[in-house]
Amino acid sequence: MARPITSIADLRAIAKRRVPRMFYDYCDSGSWTESTYRENESDFVPIKLRQRVAVDLRNRTLETTMAGENVSMPVAIAPTGLTGMQHADGEIHGARAAEKAGIPFTLSTMSICSIEDIAENTSKPFWFQLYVMRDREFVSNLIRRAKAAKCSALVLTLDLQILGQRHKDIVNGLSTPPRMTVSNIINLATKPRWCLNMLRTNRRTFRNIAGHAKGVTDLRSLSSWTAEQFDPALSWDDVKWIKDQWGGKLILKGILDAEDAEKAVASGADALIVSNHGGRQLDGAISSISALPGIVDAVGDRIEVLMDGGIRSGQDVLKAVALGAKGVFIGRSFLYGLGAGGEAGVTACLDIIRKELDITMAFCGLRDIKDVDSRIIARR
């Protein structure tokens, strides 16, 4: 009998067995020493909760809103690059699971499945994450495609003007599709389920880019174009330009400092996401959960504050909400579920988080997620 899956850690262990090393490591690593990557998770541990008793805990609800949209719990799936390399057609699996769960799915610019692929395989609007490239015509076209797909929010990432160095990607020779080196061939031979699923799909490259960017005709030109396109000159003027181009709900991702949070408010964006890119950019930056309270204090109710980074349980979700986040994004937890079992694995991930969140909220003496605030945090 298979061992029951009871936690995100269980899904992580299965994903590690099933996903080729270079793609698992891409998901499960950070930049340089990986200190920020680790602290995103570990900094939740010292935050303790108040347990309450003899409270009516019937009729509990996790329903709330994120960026003005109704959600079944304060959780959204984060934009993650190369998702379709964790599992064939991975973004489609994730979007379907999110739709069934009643939470937002965010598609990355650097996805394997395209904007159109997701629109064709779902029935409700999803969110699209945008990177600012040097080729502004390509950026404008991406925005038009997101509009045509009826995406309900644009998530603009601000913290990837240049790439942080990720040692594991260099060691593994990360590429899409994987290079057929001796080491990679040997590793792929141990992942028959992954290989079989990949043979059944034609989605094996960056489909938001291939066929849409000038001069990109093959995998080699795609690789060089991508490496050169992240724009180090990105400024708040570009944020205004994108806001005007988009004309819809705008969420700014990558805010970690109160001064930048003030600029996010001034930009007129609808929400910001406290995030350090999963510890994949500035190693040594503070964790998202550590940055959250200061940013909430700085902006008050002038902009909605969301959080991304280190969420591995429903308890983590509750702690983030208690410290002021309106909702959270899950990236690695989602990818562990996806790598472990496709859509069913993502559903298992969301079910685990939902159950933990509901029960923990009840232990804290509350029945409605909208009533959660800092009062549930234990003061030592």
Side-chain angles (χ1 to χ4, degrees), residues 66-198:
M66 290 178 67
E69 296 187 14
N70 294 327
V71 294
S72 66
M73 61 177 169
V75 174
I77 290 183
T80 54
L82 293 174
T83 301
M85 287 293 151
Q86 300 296 322
H87 188 285
D89 300 332
E91 292 89 353
I92 293 173
H93 286 274
R96 285 174 170 169
E99 183 174 309
K100 291 174 183 176
I103 66 169
F105 173 82
T106 316
L107 182 71
S108 170
T109 293
M110 305 305 296
S111 59
I112 301 302
C113 299
S114 68
I115 297 169
E116 293 78 13
D117 289 330
I118 303 305
E120 290 167 6
N121 286 277
T122 55
S123 60
K124 294 182 180 178
F126 57 97
W127 296 354
F128 180 66
Q129 175 270 334
L130 179 70
Y131 284 123
V132 181
M133 306 297 196
R134 296 174 191 263
D135 185 345
R136 291 299 198 268
E137 184 178 339
F138 172 74
V139 172
S140 292
N141 187 46
L142 270 179
I143 292 172
R144 287 192 294 270
R145 290 167 61 197
K147 285 183 179 179
K150 295 182 170 54
C151 292
S152 56
L154 187 70
V155 177
L156 175 59
T157 295
L158 298 177
D159 61 357
L160 205 136
Q161 295 169 257
I162 55 176
L163 284 169
Q165 181 166 307
R166 301 145 193 178
H167 297 334
K168 289 178 184 176
D169 292 349
I170 296 171
V171 170
N172 290 331
L174 179 71
S175 66
T176 307
R179 294 189 185 94
M180 289 297 101
T181 63
V182 172
S183 175
N184 285 339
I185 290 171
I186 292 172
N187 185 248
L188 286 168
T190 68
K191 316 294 181 185
R193 182 195 301 257
W194 184 93
C195 292
L196 184 60
N197 285 331
M198 279 296 172

Side-chain angles (χ1 to χ4, degrees), residues 35-49:
S35 65
T36 299
Y37 157 67
R38 292 190 299 272
E39 287 166 9
N40 268 352
E41 187 174 349
S42 64
D43 281 357
F44 277 94
V45 176
I47 303 170
K48 302 303 179 183
L49 301 168

Side-chain angles (χ1 to χ4, degrees), residues 44-74:
F44 277 94
V45 176
I47 303 170
K48 302 303 179 183
L49 301 168
R50 295 174 62 200
Q51 180 173 329
R52 305 300 301 277
V53 297
V55 177
D56 184 353
L57 299 177
R58 295 172 294 179
N59 303 317
R60 297 188 303 278
T61 179
L62 301 177
E63 293 180 1
T64 184
T65 61
M66 290 178 67
E69 296 187 14
N70 294 327
V71 294
S72 66
M73 61 177 169

Side-chain angles (χ1 to χ4, degrees), residues 328-351:
V328 304
F329 286 74
I330 57 168
R332 288 187 175 93
S333 293
F334 150 62
L335 293 176
Y336 297 150
L338 179 67
E343 182 179 333
V346 179
T347 296
C349 162
L350 297 176
D351 287 346

Side-chain angles (χ1 to χ4, degrees), residues 11 15 22 39 53 63 77 131 146 166 178 189 233 243 254 256 263 282 293 302 320 350 372 377:
L11 293 171
M22 71 164 60
E39 287 166 9
V53 297
E63 293 180 1
I77 290 183
Y131 284 123
R166 301 145 193 178
K243 185 176 186 296
L256 209 62
K263 292 179 180 179
L282 176 59
R302 292 177 293 158
L350 297 176
V372 172
I377 302 297

